[in-house]
mmCIF file with all atom_site columns, all heavy atoms in Angstrom:
data_model
loop_
_atom_site.group_PDB
_atom_site.id
_atom_site.type_symbol
_atom_site.label_atom_id
_atom_site.label_alt_id
_atom_site.label_comp_id
_atom_site.label_asym_id
_atom_site.label_entity_id
_atom_site.label_seq_id
_atom_site.pdbx_PDB_ins_code
_atom_site.Cartn_x
_atom_site.Cartn_y
_atom_site.Cartn_z
_atom_site.occupancy
_atom_site.B_iso_or_equiv
_atom_site.pdbx_formal_charge
_atom_site.auth_seq_id
_atom_site.auth_comp_id
_atom_site.auth_asym_id
_atom_site.auth_atom_id
_atom_site.pdbx_PDB_model_num
ATOM 1  N N   . MET A 1 1 ? -4.565  -45.211 -3.615 1.00 0.00 ? 1 MET A N   1
ATOM 2  C CA  . MET A 1 1 ? -4.748  -44.243 -2.587 1.00 0.00 ? 1 MET A CA  1
ATOM 3  C C   . MET A 1 1 ? -4.920  -42.843 -3.290 1.00 0.00 ? 1 MET A C   1
ATOM 4  O O   . MET A 1 1 ? -4.168  -42.573 -4.183 1.00 0.00 ? 1 MET A O   1
ATOM 5  C CB  . MET A 1 1 ? -3.642  -44.226 -1.592 1.00 0.00 ? 1 MET A CB  1
ATOM 6  C CG  . MET A 1 1 ? -3.807  -43.144 -0.559 1.00 0.00 ? 1 MET A CG  1
ATOM 7  S SD  . MET A 1 1 ? -2.477  -43.090 0.663  1.00 0.00 ? 1 MET A SD  1
ATOM 8  C CE  . MET A 1 1 ? -2.633  -44.755 1.455  1.00 0.00 ? 1 MET A CE  1
ATOM 9  N N   . MET A 1 2 ? -5.915  -42.067 -2.931 1.00 0.00 ? 2 MET A N   1
ATOM 10 C CA  . MET A 1 2 ? -6.102  -40.791 -3.610 1.00 0.00 ? 2 MET A CA  1
ATOM 11 C C   . MET A 1 2 ? -5.024  -39.814 -3.053 1.00 0.00 ? 2 MET A C   1
ATOM 12 O O   . MET A 1 2 ? -4.705  -39.665 -1.905 1.00 0.00 ? 2 MET A O   1
ATOM 13 C CB  . MET A 1 2 ? -7.459  -40.287 -3.214 1.00 0.00 ? 2 MET A CB  1
ATOM 14 C CG  . MET A 1 2 ? -7.816  -38.912 -3.975 1.00 0.00 ? 2 MET A CG  1
ATOM 15 S SD  . MET A 1 2 ? -9.405  -38.239 -3.407 1.00 0.00 ? 2 MET A SD  1
ATOM 16 C CE  . MET A 1 2 ? -10.465 -39.606 -4.208 1.00 0.00 ? 2 MET A CE  1
ATOM 17 N N   . GLN A 1 3 ? -4.402  -39.028 -4.081 1.00 0.00 ? 3 GLN A N   1
ATOM 18 C CA  . GLN A 1 3 ? -3.416  -38.115 -3.707 1.00 0.00 ? 3 GLN A CA  1
ATOM 19 C C   . GLN A 1 3 ? -3.987  -36.850 -3.099 1.00 0.00 ? 3 GLN A C   1
ATOM 20 O O   . GLN A 1 3 ? -4.995  -36.379 -3.484 1.00 0.00 ? 3 GLN A O   1
ATOM 21 C CB  . GLN A 1 3 ? -2.541  -37.707 -5.024 1.00 0.00 ? 3 GLN A CB  1
ATOM 22 C CG  . GLN A 1 3 ? -1.341  -36.888 -4.613 1.00 0.00 ? 3 GLN A CG  1
ATOM 23 C CD  . GLN A 1 3 ? -0.585  -36.599 -5.947 1.00 0.00 ? 3 GLN A CD  1
ATOM 24 O OE1 . GLN A 1 3 ? -1.027  -36.949 -7.080 1.00 0.00 ? 3 GLN A OE1 1
ATOM 25 N NE2 . GLN A 1 3 ? 0.625   -36.044 -5.792 1.00 0.00 ? 3 GLN A NE2 1
ATOM 26 N N   . ALA A 1 4 ? -3.222  -36.364 -2.027 1.00 0.00 ? 4 ALA A N   1
ATOM 27 C CA  . ALA A 1 4 ? -3.778  -35.254 -1.308 1.00 0.00 ? 4 ALA A CA  1
ATOM 28 C C   . ALA A 1 4 ? -3.710  -33.956 -2.206 1.00 0.00 ? 4 ALA A C   1
ATOM 29 O O   . ALA A 1 4 ? -2.812  -33.864 -2.992 1.00 0.00 ? 4 ALA A O   1
ATOM 30 C CB  . ALA A 1 4 ? -2.978  -34.983 -0.153 1.00 0.00 ? 4 ALA A CB  1
ATOM 31 N N   . VAL A 1 5 ? -4.779  -33.204 -2.114 1.00 0.00 ? 5 VAL A N   1
ATOM 32 C CA  . VAL A 1 5 ? -4.905  -31.909 -2.950 1.00 0.00 ? 5 VAL A CA  1
ATOM 33 C C   . VAL A 1 5 ? -4.226  -30.768 -2.118 1.00 0.00 ? 5 VAL A C   1
ATOM 34 O O   . VAL A 1 5 ? -4.661  -30.620 -1.079 1.00 0.00 ? 5 VAL A O   1
ATOM 35 C CB  . VAL A 1 5 ? -6.344  -31.628 -3.344 1.00 0.00 ? 5 VAL A CB  1
ATOM 36 C CG1 . VAL A 1 5 ? -6.413  -30.314 -4.155 1.00 0.00 ? 5 VAL A CG1 1
ATOM 37 C CG2 . VAL A 1 5 ? -6.900  -32.786 -4.129 1.00 0.00 ? 5 VAL A CG2 1
#
Side-chain angles (χ1 to χ4, degrees):
M1 181 180 295
M2 184 178 295
Q3 187 175 8
V5 177

